[in-house]
Amino acid sequence: MISEAIITTIKKARRIVVFSGAGMSAESGVPTFRDDLTGLWQQYDFMKLATPEAFKADPALVWGWYEWRRTRLLAVEPNAGHQAIARWQAHYPLTIVTQNVDDLHERAGSYNVIHIHGSIFAPRCTKCKTPYEFESHYVQEPESGRRIDPPSCKVCEHPVRPGVVWFGEALHEPDLRAAIFAAENCDLVIAVGTSGVVQPAALIPRWAKDKGAVVVQINPSPTPIDEVSDYNIRMTAAQALPQIVEALNLD
Ligand code: BV8
Ligand code: ZN
């Protein structure tokens, strides 16, 4: 049960930031990065695979991994946590800053989602940056995964790359600025489903706190965000968020 003190604090908020990580999508059946990589990628460390070096060394392995993740994402649905946030956003000024490269917030009905680590649905040319359009039909990649040569750009023939921010790459400046602006101008941050490890994203709750916001964390496990959070709800996203939105008596 979420305490009355937390609900009262949330009810007072007028400018809200929801900062989500992989745990937000876990109850939709999307493995978090803490879960072991499976299939072809079992023997790889996510941190080494999600890098420009890995793509340069073996583009087919990395592109195959993203296609495996993308096609599996097309087969899952937003969970009750995504839906609760979308309902909340229909009544309050609420900005979503997500580290997730999936589109589950949008598919639940949320809008203006800031993807600070990019999107798996927005590949682009490695050379001229032209966005690449996926074929409309898709075949879900086999469980075991496979190497797939990245497609070539339709404009300049160079290889296409996933539209995500890899480790060692700078975040897309406009997205980072929008996220910082939202954090520094809100009065409540809900940090949900993030291990609070990846920088600079993990600083978002701190930036908000430094400007006077209240920080509420939703995560079954402790994280470094515990150090800045005013309240910790030790529940999952799909358990806690519907309870919070229910208590707001929105409709
Ligand atoms: C940068 C897109 C500088 C890709 C991602 C050494 C060398 C190089 C860089 C570094 C280095 N040391 C530090 C760095 C910086 C590095 C970094 O932070 N490394 C850390 C990990 C040591 N950061 C970077 O490289 C960033 N760029 O610093 O650039 C620069 C500047 C100028 C010029 C050049 C460079 C870029 C980082 C972005 C990496 N890309 N994603 C892809 O998806 O393939 S990060 C990726 O991993 C996710 O986006 C996410 O951010 C992160 C995983 O974190 P979480 O989302 O928190 O997920 P996780 O699985 O970790 O945790 C899940 C949590 O949910 C857990 O706490 C769990 O308890 C909880 N949970 C589980 N189930 C539920 C739940 N909670 C609620 N409900 C549930 N049901
Ligand atoms: Zn090109």
Side-chain angles (χ1 to χ4, degrees):
M1 206 46 199
I2 297 173
S3 76
E4 210 35 55
I6 297 178
I7 296 296
T8 309
T9 305
I10 291 177
K11 278 184 176 167
K12 281 191 206 131
R14 286 295 168 267
R15 293 179 317 286
I16 301 152
V17 164
V18 170
F19 172 55
S20 65
M24 181 76 230
S25 300
E27 284 152 295
S28 294
V30 182
T32 70
F33 299 94
R34 301 280 162 262
D35 302 339
D36 285 340
L37 284 176
T38 55
L40 176 64
W41 297 286
Q42 207 145 25
Q43 71 271 34
Y44 293 97
D45 167 3
F46 160 68
M47 305 269 293
K48 293 213 176 46
L49 214 46
T51 62
E53 294 75 18
F55 185 69
K56 196 159 180 245
D58 191 342
L61 176 80
V62 174
W63 182 260
W65 180 46
Y66 280 90
E67 280 301 275
W68 179 79
R69 289 170 61 189
R70 180 179 72 89
T71 55
R72 292 160 71 79
L73 276 170
L74 292 169
V76 302
E77 295 299 325
N79 60 55
H82 294 108
Q83 279 143 14
I85 292 169
R87 200 169 145 230
W88 195 355
Q89 190 180 36
H91 293 79
Y92 279 79
L94 184 150
T95 304
I96 298 165
V97 177
T98 189
Q99 300 171 86
N100 299 336
V101 296
D102 65 46
D103 61 350
L104 294 173
H105 280 300
E106 291 89 341
R107 284 171 54 197
S110 287
Y111 53 90
N112 289 351
V113 180
I114 302 169
H115 284 269
I116 49 171
H117 291 156
S119 166
I120 202 165
F121 297 103
R124 63 178 186 274
C125 173
T126 48
K127 181 120 171 91
C128 69
K129 310 259 187 293
T130 302
Y132 173 75
E133 295 290 316
F134 284 112
E135 312 297 330
S136 52
H137 70 284
Y138 80 93
V139 174
Q140 179 152 354
E141 286 298 307
E143 183 64 28
S144 53
R146 60 189 176 119
R147 278 181 158 69
I148 308 173
D149 285 330
S152 305
C153 167
K154 300 238 182 334
V155 171
C156 75
E157 301 284 306
H158 277 76
V160 165
R161 58 158 286 171
V164 301
V165 178
W166 277 323
F167 287 101
E169 288 189 316
L171 276 63
H172 186 49
E173 196 59 30
D175 294 335
L176 181 58
R177 284 188 185 288
I180 294 171
F181 181 83
E184 294 190 337
N185 290 279
C186 73
D187 52 12
L188 172 70
V189 173
I190 303 274
V192 49
T194 177
S195 57
V197 167
V198 176
Q199 301 294 342
L203 295 173
I204 285 172
R206 158 67 62 203
W207 286 329
K209 178 100 180 180
D210 289 349
K211 295 282 183 183
V214 172
V215 177
V216 174
Q217 180 176 213
I218 299 173
N219 194 322
S221 319
T223 74
I225 296 173
D226 286 34
E227 284 149 40
V228 291
S229 53
D230 298 283
Y231 300 101
N232 288 303
I233 301 174
R234 294 287 182 234
M235 296 165 81
T236 69
Q239 287 167 341
L241 287 159
Q243 280 190 37
I244 290 171
V245 170
E246 203 46 47
L248 295 176
N249 304 315
L250 295 178
D251 300 317

